[in-house]
Amino acid sequence: MKTDAVRGHLDGLLLAVLEPGPLHGYAIIAAVQQRSDGALQLRTGTIYPALNRLERLGLLGSSWESVGERRRRCYRLTDAGRGSLESERTAWHEFTTAIGSVLNPAAAAPAPGPVS
């Protein structure tokens, strides 16, 4: 899937994969890829600036963890991040409903009521 398709939804994707618990950058990339059955393949150059921005906004917190001799930064949702994730989900639902109504009007049309 093209990177442009993800634009505008990256924050929601990152917040969603962090909902179950803290992850480091590579694990975030792997989680998005796994949840999308490989359709979404994010690059480090895409996610790290977004993670830093989300942290500056107070939606994520982070800490350094050591694994063997390697140190990696792990990110976690804050309470504000959980609220933002719910807003992202609501906006996504409204967006997909509206687009679905245009692309597939027959499916969006209400069933006819009883004839009197």
Side-chain angles (χ1 to χ4, degrees):
M1 188 169 290
K2 295 181 181 179
T3 304
D4 288 347
V6 176
R7 194 168 288 147
H9 304 290
L10 181 60
D11 291 0
L13 295 173
L14 297 176
L15 295 173
V17 298
L18 288 167
E19 186 176 29
L23 294 172
H24 59 85
Y26 179 75
I28 292 169
I29 292 170
V32 170
Q33 187 172 0
Q34 180 184 20
R35 284 192 185 188
S36 69
D37 290 327
L40 301 175
Q41 297 184 15
L42 302 179
R43 298 179 183 185
T44 56
T46 300
I47 70 148
Y48 285 109
L51 292 169
N52 291 331
R53 183 176 41 74
L54 292 171
E55 188 172 21
R56 280 192 313 273
L57 293 171
L59 304 179
L60 298 180
S62 69
S63 59
W64 286 100
E65 293 186 4
S66 295
V67 178
E69 295 193 18
R70 296 187 69 185
R71 287 176 32 109
R72 59 188 181 194
R73 194 166 200 81
C74 287
Y75 296 89
R76 68 186 181 296
L77 279 182
T78 62
D79 289 340
R82 289 184 194 288
S84 182
L85 176 56
E86 287 309 310
S87 296
E88 291 279 345
R89 284 182 170 140
T90 299
W92 176 252
H93 177 73
E94 291 170 355
F95 176 77
T96 57
T97 299
I99 296 298
S101 296
V102 174
L103 293 178
N104 193 6
V115 176
S116 316

